C-alpha cells in the first residue's frame, strides 16, 4: 500500500476527519487550468523559464485566456522547468520530479490549513528557485501522523508564527508570495503532504530524483485527497 492508498483508507475508516480548504474556491463557479511543465510543452523554452517576469506573464496569460481562477498540477510530474536553477542540478542525477501540487494564482492569495494541527517548523529558504518562505504543519489524524508543507509564501506569512502553535482547520496561515520573495517564481503555492519528514525543519524536498519515484510514493500522498480539485479542471 503506497502513501496515497494508506491516507485514503485512513480517511475512509475515520469519516469524522473532515478536510477543509487550502485556498478559497467556489466549486460551482470556479474553473482550474491544468498546467503542463513537462518536456511535452513546447512553449516552455529555456528563455521563458529562466526569465521570471516572462514566466510569470506566461502563467498569468494562460489563466486569463480561460477565465480560470487558478492553475493546478504537478504531483509526481517529471518537469523540465527546473533547469532554471542550479539548485536542482547537484549530484549525478538532476532533480526533476515534482512531489507536491502547485496552485498558481495571484500574489497575496490567502492560504488556509485544511486540517487541525500545529506549527511544526517554518523558514525562509531564500535562494533562487527555492521555496522562499515555507511552513510545515503537523497533524495527528486519529493515530496517523501527517505533515503538510506550504512553500513560496509571502515573508509576512512567517511573522506571527511560533513552533508548536495550534492551528485550526480553515484557519488562514499565509498568503502567496510575489517573485521578489518566493524564490523567484511566478506566484503560486507548493502544497505537499508527507507521512514522515525525519529531522527536516522548515524545509523538505519538493523536487526529487525521477529514479526514486517509487520511494517517494511510499511517503508522499497525492494532495488531491484533500484538495478535491479534479472535477474543477476545465482546461
Amino acid at each position: 500500500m503506497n502513501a496515497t492508498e494508506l491516507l485514503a483508507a485512513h480517511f475512509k475508516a475515520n469519516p469524522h476527519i473532515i478536510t477543509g480548504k487550502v485556498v478559497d474556491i467556489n466549486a460551482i463557479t470556479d474553473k482550474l487550468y491544468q498546467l503542463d511543465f513537462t518536456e511535452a510543452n513546447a512553449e516552455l523554452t529555456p528563455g521563458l523559464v529562466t526569465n521570471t517576469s516572462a514566466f510569470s506573464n506566461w502563467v498569468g496569460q494562460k489563466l486569463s485566456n480561460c477565465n480560470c481562477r487558478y492553475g493546478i498540477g504537478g504531483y509526481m510530474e517529471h518537469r523540465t522547468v527546473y533547469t532554471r536553477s542550479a539548485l536542482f542540478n547537484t549530484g549525478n542525477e538532476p532533480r526533476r520530479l515534482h512531489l507536491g501540487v502547485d496552485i498558481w494564482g495571484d500574489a497575496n492569495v490567502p492560504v488556509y490549513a485544511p486540517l487541525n494541527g500545529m506549527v511544526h517548523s517554518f523558514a525562509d529558504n531564500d535562494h533562487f528557485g527555492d521555496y522562499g518562505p515555507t511552513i510545515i504543519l503537523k497533524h495527528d489524524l486519529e493515530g496517523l501522523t501527517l505533515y503538510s508543507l506550504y512553500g513560496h509564501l509571502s515573508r509576512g506569512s512567517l511573522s506571527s508564527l511560533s513552533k508548536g502553535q495550534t492551528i485550526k482547520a480553515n484557519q488562514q496561515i499565509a498568503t502567496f508570495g510575489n517573485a521578489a520573495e518566493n524564490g523567484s517564481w511566478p506566484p503560486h503555492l507548493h502544497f505537499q503532504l508527507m507521512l514522515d519528514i525525519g529531522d527536516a525543519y522548515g524545509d523538505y524536498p519538493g523536487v526529487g530524483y525521477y529514479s526514486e519515484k517509487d520511494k517517494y510514493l511510499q511517503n508522499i500522498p497525492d494532495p488531491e485527497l484533500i484538495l478535491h480539485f479534479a472535477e474543477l479542471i476545465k482546461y
Side-chain angles (χ1 to χ4, degrees):
M1 184 179 292
N2 64 31
T4 298
E5 294 166 338
L6 178 63
L7 184 58
H10 191 76
F11 282 150
K12 184 176 181 179
N14 297 275
H16 55 285
I17 301 176
I18 305 299
T19 60
K21 62 186 176 182
V22 174
V23 293
D24 290 312
I25 194 157
N26 186 318
I28 297 174
T29 60
D30 282 328
K31 298 177 290 185
L32 304 178
Y33 184 88
Q34 182 88 47
L35 284 162
D36 177 3
F37 292 118
T38 71
E39 65 180 0
N41 188 345
E43 295 182 44
L44 296 176
T45 63
L48 175 66
V49 299
T50 57
N51 183 320
T52 302
S53 178
F55 192 13
S56 297
N57 290 338
W58 181 86
V59 172
Q61 193 62 55
K62 289 293 183 184
L63 302 187
S64 177
N65 287 348
C66 65
N67 194 30
C68 287
R69 190 170 185 179
Y70 304 110
I72 187 72
Y75 178 64
M76 297 297 163
E77 182 177 65
H78 192 200
R79 292 180 162 182
T80 57
V81 293
Y82 298 118
T83 56
R84 72 192 306 263
S85 172
L87 181 73
F88 305 104
N89 294 328
T90 56
N92 294 326
E93 177 188 353
R95 289 188 294 138
R96 296 290 185 266
L97 185 67
H98 191 251
L99 304 178
V101 162
D102 286 335
I103 304 173
W104 304 81
D106 296 327
N108 301 314
V109 166
V111 177
Y112 303 88
L115 295 159
N116 293 333
M118 59 174 282
V119 175
H120 171 273
S121 54
F122 54 94
D124 187 355
N125 298 290
D126 187 19
H127 309 96
F128 181 78
D130 210 332
Y131 282 134
T134 311
I135 298 172
I136 298 176
L137 302 183
K138 181 179 180 180
H139 313 275
D140 182 4
L141 305 180
E142 302 293 335
L144 178 69
T145 299
L146 180 70
Y147 297 89
S148 58
L149 181 148
Y150 311 79
H152 307 296
L153 306 174
S154 63
R155 290 209 169 95
S157 301
L158 307 184
S159 62
S160 60
L161 295 180
S162 59
K163 183 179 178 180
Q165 178 181 342
T166 299
I167 300 293
K168 297 294 185 182
N170 291 319
Q171 176 181 335
Q172 184 179 340
I173 59 170
T175 57
F176 287 22
N178 59 47
E181 58 189 350
N182 75 355
S184 298
W185 289 93
H188 73 288
L189 172 71
H190 176 94
F191 176 60
Q192 185 170 312
L193 303 176
M194 297 83 63
L195 300 179
D196 181 18
I197 61 171
D199 59 359
Y201 190 93
D203 190 14
Y204 187 87
V207 182
Y209 300 109
Y210 186 77
S211 64
E212 297 183 357
K213 181 177 181 179
D214 288 344
K215 181 189 75 172
Y216 301 129
L217 288 170
Q218 298 307 307
N219 187 51
I220 300 175
D222 187 347
E224 174 63 14
L225 292 173
I226 284 176
L227 293 172
H228 307 295
F229 276 177
E231 294 183 359
L232 303 181
I233 296 174
K234 302 300 183 184
Y235 298 90

